[in-house]
Amino acid sequence: MQSDGVHAVPVIPAGPVGMLPHDSLVARAAGGDDAAFRLLFERHAGPIRRFLRDLLRDDAAADDATQETFVRAHRRLHTLAADQKLLPWLFGIARNVFYEQLRARNRPRPSPDQDSHGDTPEHRILAREADRKLQDALATLSHERRAALLLRVDHELGYEEIGRIMNWSLAKVKNEIHRGRLELREQLSGYLEGAQ
Amino acid sequence: MTELCPTLELDEVFAPDTPDARRDELRAHAAACVACGQELLLLTAERARFRARQEQEPAVPAALWHRTRARLGEPRLIVRWWQSAGRGVVWALGGAMLAAAAATLWLSPRMNDQARPAAPLHARAPRRDPLRALVQAEELNRAAIAQLERDYLARSGRRGEDRLRALRTELANATPRDLGARTQVLFASSEYLSSLESIVLEETP
């Protein structure tokens, strides 16, 4: 039973939440089921946190923003339309949280080097270097362009979904992502080619 | 590469929701077109780089869930817009409002001095001339942009000049020849204001 295209809670299959299909999980979480919401958090917190870290370039700030994103999502989960996908909806909230954080603080600080999980010290060094180059190149893009490019390339969202998140026309989405790609390539010139 | 090449759509090859027929069509084109073939190679390399990064991604710490859960029931915090907006924008908007108020104060006695016969009641309803409203909006916009640009240049110097020049060039591509175009420019300059606001906030030490 649903009204106005918004998730209603009644049709909630019984059983362990881990076995539920995604839609039922969202419905149960919207109905106040903490276990269901925790499962949604575990499934989606990684991409949301990575997206926010790429935008904010600060691990601690990205954690705070991830937390805020899920707190807001929990509050508004009942407004998620039945035909709306959860992850793009979460990215939309994360984008708003990012802009608020950006305004609240004066300047995004560069992210400190992180310990990567690799097999050998050499692998770790190479992976860290590759990550650093990519992070630096991404940082040269404007916030909006970076967000759109990341949503497409890193999180594999469709152009229409990105348009809804960014409040852009389809043409603008394609154009901005294309221009973002060209800028990124310029920054990584010789590096991407070498990775082929 | 020609105008008919699907340059902006080539990355659909990798999108999970692309139908197989469309994927095959794009791959076939890339195989036959040297430029698109090269573009596809670059897209493949780009994708590999992002995939590798994802594989290095550390797990989300459990503490993050516990912190999130602790906040789930808390009441909503209302943030006033002027608290979340940048100082530059607040100053610009404040300045624009003061200018508008001053203009109104200056104009009103002169308008009253003109002893016009009382207008019929139905004609007294405030009616804004659309062209005049557009001109006023443009003036306010220009004032806000000038304020933000001054703020920005004061902080960034020569480097900021280059960046502003690039932004202005983008804006100037919409030629203000007619009302429709001017309205478009107004919208575009709103976006410019928004970009400028982000830049000022980002680069404020």
Side-chain angles (χ1 to χ4, degrees):
Chain A
M1 187 166 53
Q2 289 174 345
S3 61
D4 301 332
V6 168
H7 272 294
V9 190
V11 188
I12 301 175
V17 287
M19 312 280 285
L20 290 175
H22 192 263
D23 286 352
S24 305
L25 202 57
V26 172
R28 279 181 76 146
D33 185 331
D34 278 352
F37 188 73
R38 178 171 190 168
L39 213 55
L40 292 177
F41 179 90
E42 284 170 359
R43 283 183 191 176
H44 299 303
I48 295 293
R49 183 170 174 245
R50 191 168 72 245
F51 177 63
L52 286 163
R53 205 180 51 219
D54 284 335
L55 293 179
L56 289 159
R57 306 190 71 219
D58 180 327
D59 287 357
D63 281 356
D64 288 346
T66 305
Q67 183 184 326
E68 180 63 24
T69 299
F70 278 90
V71 168
R72 290 185 193 186
H74 183 263
R75 201 181 288 142
R76 300 181 201 157
L77 207 51
H78 65 282
T79 67
L80 181 68
D83 59 350
Q84 223 177 339
K85 288 186 192 168
L86 179 66
L87 190 58
W89 183 72
L90 287 172
F91 278 124
I93 298 175
R95 175 183 176 265
N96 290 338
V97 170
F98 159 65
Y99 275 107
E100 285 169 26
Q101 282 227 357
L102 197 64
R103 288 188 173 108
R105 61 199 207 146
N106 285 332
R107 183 191 180 91
R109 293 179 296 274
S111 181
D113 280 348
Q114 298 167 352
D115 284 331
S116 302
H117 301 285
D119 298 324
T120 63
E122 185 190 12
H123 182 266
R124 279 201 296 273
I125 290 167
L126 286 174
R128 193 181 298 165
E129 172 68 5
D131 272 0
R132 193 187 58 75
K133 276 184 184 295
L134 186 58
Q135 293 287 359
D136 289 349
L138 283 168
T140 62
L141 306 186
S142 70
H143 298 130
E144 300 266 282
R145 194 167 283 174
R146 194 188 326 163
L149 185 69
L150 287 166
L151 289 172
R152 181 65 178 171
V153 182
D154 196 18
H155 302 282
E156 300 189 325
L157 263 58
Y159 284 128
E160 288 87 358
E161 288 171 331
I162 297 171
R164 278 194 290 274
I165 292 169
M166 306 295 292
N167 288 324
W168 287 351
S169 68
L170 190 60
K172 180 165 181 180
V173 172
K174 289 184 179 181
N175 193 37
E176 286 293 318
I177 289 174
H178 182 65
R179 289 165 72 175
R181 274 200 164 107
L182 296 182
E183 282 184 45
L184 201 64
R185 280 177 200 168
E186 199 178 316
Q187 295 294 322
L188 297 172
S189 63
Y191 186 71
L192 276 182
E193 287 86 343
Q196 282 172 39
Chain B
M1 202 173 284
T2 70
E3 284 183 9
L4 297 175
C5 283
T7 315
L8 302 189
E9 284 89 38
L10 264 183
D11 71 347
E12 287 176 20
V13 166
F14 307 113
D17 53 352
T18 301
D20 288 344
R22 173 68 175 157
R23 191 172 286 120
D24 292 345
E25 181 191 352
L26 290 167
R27 282 196 190 282
H29 174 84
C33 171
V34 175
C36 288
Q38 178 62 26
E39 174 70 15
L40 192 59
L41 278 176
L42 285 170
L43 290 173
T44 307
E46 172 194 272
R47 180 177 154 85
R49 170 53 40 223
F50 275 91
R51 279 287 168 98
R53 195 178 70 126
Q54 282 177 26
E55 285 164 15
Q56 301 294 324
E57 179 80 5
V60 175
L64 189 53
W65 162 249
H66 295 303
R67 279 163 49 198
T68 304
R69 190 180 59 180
R71 288 191 49 207
L72 289 185
E74 73 181 23
R76 186 175 179 186
L77 180 69
I78 297 171
V79 180
R80 310 282 180 211
W81 70 267
W82 57 85
Q83 291 169 339
S84 60
R87 276 172 297 172
V89 175
V90 174
W91 277 108
L93 285 175
M97 287 166 72
L98 278 175
T104 307
L105 286 173
W106 185 75
L107 280 173
S108 54
R110 283 156 182 78
M111 290 167 77
N112 290 337
D113 286 349
Q114 297 170 358
R116 291 176 183 165
L121 197 59
H122 63 82
R124 288 185 202 170
R127 183 184 172 281
R128 293 190 76 190
D129 172 21
L131 183 59
R132 193 172 170 192
L134 180 62
V135 170
Q136 285 177 344
E138 286 172 337
E139 283 169 358
L140 286 175
N141 230 340
R142 276 196 289 272
I145 285 173
Q147 176 69 52
L148 275 172
E149 286 184 344
R150 277 196 296 275
D151 275 11
Y152 176 56
L153 288 175
R155 294 186 179 107
S156 58
R158 180 63 187 268
R159 188 172 52 85
E161 282 179 25
D162 294 341
R163 194 161 182 186
L164 284 185
R165 196 174 300 119
L167 281 167
R168 285 193 199 115
T169 307
E170 277 190 38
L171 183 62
N173 288 338
T175 317
R177 287 195 186 121
D178 56 35
L179 280 179
R182 284 171 65 188
T183 311
Q184 287 296 319
V185 168
L186 197 59
F187 287 132
S189 63
S190 296
E191 286 198 22
Y192 174 61
L193 260 176
S194 166
S195 306
L196 207 52
E197 181 200 352
S198 297
I199 292 169
V200 169
L201 289 172
E202 183 187 356
E203 305 211 355
T204 301

